[in-house]
Amino acid sequence: MDPFLPEQVQMTDTIVSVAFDKAWRFVEKDPLLAHNLKTVLHSRLRTFLESSISKGERNVLNLANEAIRSLRAELAPSTEQQAACTSTAI
């Protein structure tokens, strides 16, 4: 038997949606993530949010912040990459 009731699933979907909107307002303007495709950012952001939800997090602000941190850790260029690009460009 499925442990989630339809109301719980709907509430979880709502929390993910609200957290996504909060996080996206930051992500879409983040210069460290600007080099990524919007579809990739959307997909990875949702994956990180759903992962946190599955671990029990329900606070929208915590969800959004953790997803942003994870997204930056995965997709933002490292400082070594940025230094290489800068030194190559000079």
Side-chain angles (χ1 to χ4, degrees), residues 1 12 14 37 43 50 68 87:
M1 188 164 155
T12 299
T14 300
L37 294 173
S43 174
E50 289 171 351
I68 291 166
S87 65

Side-chain angles (χ1 to χ4, degrees), residues 14-85:
T14 300
I15 292 170
V16 168
S17 180
V18 171
F20 182 93
D21 290 343
K22 252 186 198 319
W24 186 252
R25 285 190 296 250
F26 177 86
V27 168
E28 69 181 340
K29 295 178 177 113
D30 187 350
L32 293 178
L33 297 171
H35 68 283
N36 292 284
L37 294 173
K38 188 175 180 178
T39 54
V40 171
L41 293 172
H42 269 250
S43 174
R44 296 306 296 149
L45 188 60
R46 180 154 300 272
T47 298
F48 289 130
L49 289 168
E50 289 171 351
S51 174
S52 292
I53 282 275
S54 72
K55 294 174 187 168
E57 181 62 67
R58 295 296 182 267
N59 181 292
V60 172
L61 189 56
N62 289 344
L63 285 164
N65 286 335
E66 182 58 34
I68 291 166
R69 274 191 292 275
S70 297
L71 197 63
R72 285 179 123 200
E74 180 179 290
L75 298 176
S78 69
T79 53
E80 294 164 0
Q81 288 173 325
Q82 289 175 352
C85 289

